[in-house]
Amino acid sequence: MHNADIDLFFPTVAEREVQYNARQSVPDFDACVRRYAESSARVRTRRPGILDLRYGMGQDERLDLFLPAASNAAAPVFVFIHGGYWRAQRKEDAPVMAEAFNAAGAAVATLEYTLVPEATLGEVVREVRSAVAWLYWNAAAYGVDPERIYVGGSSAGGHLAAMLAAPDWPARYNLPDDVIKGTLALSGLFDLRPLCDVLPNTWLQLTPEQAAHQSPIFHLPERAGPMLLAVGGLETQGFKNQTAAFEAAWNAAGLASTRIPTPQCNHFDLVNELEDPDSELTRATLEMMGLAKADGVRRAELQKS
């Protein structure tokens, strides 16, 4: 499907409000968020993390790092950026994948960032880029391989992960162009222009020109590592079309992407697929990172821990 054939704006503003209202797309939003928070709380009691590492001067410019069992080799790191339409949630709710990923030999970093509207969206993008730069320059001190940084995020975090895959910014941080080795974008928002006259713009405060400037669909690199994309089968057509449009643009630029089918998922439980060492989403992400899925020995350790 060509990008131009994928409708991101829909016939009316009223329809667009429905298509981009993730919260109203699930029958029990509170239960979904509670499951996410409980999963993360369980991980944080079972996986000792290095918490609140400061990557910048702002009070919210912090990250948590969850490390695999000690080994002689530096670990690749999966940097996960939480969603919440850029204005909600915290990194403490985000490390649902840490246990499974640690068992497979990957470190996990979960990012905090200043929420909108306290920060502009441009400032949020700059903060997550600064976090990657901090990780690159400080990784070795924590047994993490700076040459194997992978990023991922859900919803607004999917947008921010895709902005990390954009070109040009690494040079401003004295980073190699290929500092990001691969990306996982879940239910991302990749063209923000349709949001300019619906509810999210009451906090984003974007003009159409600013929205385009912060849209990863318009900032595609010439070369990139793997791009994994997923959107829940139970999500609105708006979120499905956002992923389809980005996928079409990415592929049209000669870049490789892989769509992971998740027909059973809604907008909020999609990220919980990463808890399961055997889920297709976990397997694909670990394989992107050069790690086989958690083997039987590691899975047994996971269940005992």
Side-chain angles (χ1 to χ4, degrees):
M1 187 181 290
H2 190 269
N3 195 19
D5 301 327
I6 303 168
D7 188 4
L8 300 179
F9 286 85
F10 299 93
T12 66
V13 172
E15 176 65 8
R16 198 147 68 244
E17 289 278 14
V18 172
Q19 293 297 335
Y20 292 111
N21 191 330
R23 185 171 183 153
Q24 294 299 319
S25 71
V26 296
D28 194 342
F29 169 78
D30 291 334
C32 290
V33 171
R34 190 162 57 247
R35 177 188 169 192
Y36 186 57
E38 287 171 354
S39 294
S40 294
R42 189 165 56 248
V43 166
R44 284 188 286 113
T45 60
R46 289 155 62 135
R47 295 300 311 160
I50 305 171
L51 308 180
D52 293 322
L53 291 165
R54 306 196 74 86
Y55 65 81
M57 297 301 289
Q59 66 176 5
D60 292 319
E61 292 178 84
R62 295 172 287 117
L63 61 87
D64 294 343
L65 192 57
F66 299 87
L67 298 170
S71 73
N72 294 328
V77 61
F78 179 68
V79 180
F80 186 75
I81 310 168
H82 69 76
Y85 248 135
W86 302 281
R87 68 161 185 164
Q89 296 189 6
R90 289 290 178 186
K91 65 177 170 55
E92 285 76 16
D93 296 327
V96 295
M97 73 295 298
E99 205 166 3
F101 280 43
N102 284 177
V108 170
T110 53
L111 300 190
E112 193 58 86
Y113 51 88
T114 307
L115 298 175
V116 172
E118 181 182 341
T120 64
L121 186 58
E123 288 173 316
V124 173
V125 170
R126 185 200 59 76
E127 286 184 10
V128 299
R129 289 171 171 175
S130 294
V132 169
W134 185 93
L135 270 171
Y136 182 84
W137 294 114
N138 292 278
Y142 299 97
V144 171
D145 186 350
E147 302 302 329
R148 290 193 290 166
I149 297 175
Y150 297 82
V151 298
S154 175
S155 192
H159 160 268
L160 293 169
M163 288 298 282
L164 289 170
D168 303 330
W169 73 268
R172 298 202 295 272
Y173 293 85
N174 295 317
L175 301 175
D177 288 344
D178 65 345
V179 62
I180 303 300
K181 295 302 190 291
T183 305
L184 171 69
L186 306 175
S187 309
L189 291 151
F190 305 102
D191 183 345
L192 304 188
R193 295 173 304 161
L195 302 182
C196 284
D197 51 5
V198 295
L199 179 66
N201 212 37
T202 58
W203 56 85
L204 287 170
Q205 295 287 295
L206 294 172
T207 66
E209 294 77 19
Q210 291 169 331
H213 184 63
Q214 299 298 341
S215 294
I217 200 168
F218 300 121
H219 302 284
L220 301 174
E222 290 183 13
R223 292 177 302 281
M227 173 66 70
L228 302 181
L229 298 167
V231 61
L234 305 180
E235 299 202 45
T236 65
Q237 198 61 45
F239 280 93
K240 291 176 181 176
N241 287 4
Q242 283 276 338
T243 291
F246 184 69
E247 180 180 46
W250 187 265
N251 294 346
L255 302 166
S257 69
T258 302
R259 178 82 77 98
I260 312 299
T262 50
Q264 75 283 12
C265 294
N266 65 42
H267 186 81
F268 297 98
D269 65 13
L270 176 59
V271 69
N272 290 99
E273 293 291 296
L274 296 174
E275 285 183 88
D276 178 2
D278 291 320
S279 76
E280 196 169 348
L281 208 53
T282 297
R283 288 203 310 268
T285 306
L286 293 176
E287 285 165 11
M288 173 177 73
M289 298 176 71
L291 301 168
K293 68 172 184 170
D295 60 30
V297 173
R298 283 180 173 145
R299 197 171 301 111
E301 290 173 353
L302 197 60
Q303 290 164 350
K304 283 190 297 186
S305 61

